[in-house]
Amino acid sequence: MGERRCLYCQQNFQPSKFQRRQAVCGEADCQRRRRADYHRRKLNADPEYREVCRDSPRKWRSRHPDYWKQYRQKNPESVEQNRQQQQLRDRKRRLRNLANNTSALDLKHSAAQVWLVGSGAADLANNNSAPAQIWVIEALSPHRGPVPPSCKQHPAGVAVDPAA
Ligand SMILES: [Zn+2]
């Protein structure tokens, strides 16, 4: 798919393959203008949108007290999905805090994922000693066998045999 000219900054850009009708480039300024224009048009055209924007969230909720209750009843699978995603976010946040609070100097990113299992995981996040099980499962690289040293690891002045 070819390039397109941005509606706002007039620069050429590559439209996203997920948004085939994209008329605005990805620059923050242009995206801000796009959202502002959308907001303005929607305010004129859509009375309900106007109402939602005029009200504070609190006022809106008090006028639509059952909105979320009904939404949850109508979309039980989305409720369950949200719950699981929230648990995952909580878990990640706890791990991040833990990583930031540690004094370990050799803490490194690794391709492996570490899952803390069991009730002790919560204690570990609180810096207490934890009886949690930790399973470290290493992601295997696609090729087996000894890894050839990278160019940087060859000592200076030593000839490198490309067939080795
Ligand atoms: Zn632009």
Side-chain angles (χ1 to χ4, degrees):
M1 197 153 52
E3 291 203 321
R4 216 171 276 177
R5 185 168 291 225
C6 173
L7 202 61
Y8 296 117
C9 68
Q10 309 300 323
Q11 302 290 316
N12 286 341
F13 70 98
Q14 192 72 42
S16 158
K17 63 179 170 184
F18 300 110
Q19 294 176 23
R20 298 199 177 273
R21 292 167 61 205
Q22 184 181 355
V24 179
C25 78
E27 288 299 313
D29 268 355
C30 297
Q31 287 295 319
R32 228 185 333 266
R33 285 173 69 186
R34 181 186 63 78
R35 280 193 299 269
D37 280 355
Y38 171 84
H39 179 66
R40 210 170 305 135
R41 273 201 306 276
K42 194 95 168 125
L43 277 180
N44 282 324
D46 185 339
E48 197 181 356
Y49 185 83
R50 199 153 52 223
E51 187 194 336
V52 170
C53 291
R54 193 191 54 207
D55 288 0
S56 70
R58 186 178 52 80
K59 257 167 52 190
W60 189 87
R61 277 199 302 275
S62 74
R63 287 213 269 146
H64 303 83
D66 292 332
Y67 177 84
W68 284 111
K69 203 168 139 197
Q70 281 168 9
Y71 177 85
R72 284 192 291 267
Q73 277 165 1
K74 273 188 278 183
N75 304 281
E77 72 290 340
S78 123
V79 172
E80 175 59 20
Q81 204 186 7
N82 278 343
R83 202 179 60 79
Q84 286 178 1
Q85 282 172 351
Q86 184 60 49
Q87 280 184 351
L88 197 63
R89 277 195 295 272
D90 287 348
R91 214 174 288 160
K92 278 188 183 161
R93 186 167 43 78
R94 268 185 257 126
L95 287 173
R96 204 161 35 236
N97 289 342
L98 186 65
N100 289 338
N101 289 335
T102 184
S103 57
L105 294 172
D106 59 348
L107 192 66
K108 292 219 171 64
H109 272 294
S110 106
Q113 288 194 320
V114 176
W115 296 90
L116 301 177
V117 181
S119 58
D123 293 328
L124 185 60
N126 292 329
N127 287 333
N128 299 327
S129 68
Q133 287 183 301
I134 298 179
W135 300 57
V136 179
I137 300 163
E138 191 182 358
L140 292 171
S141 60
H143 58 85
R144 299 292 183 85
V147 181
S150 78
C151 301
K152 283 180 190 153
Q153 286 170 328
H154 291 297
V158 175
V160 177
D161 179 5

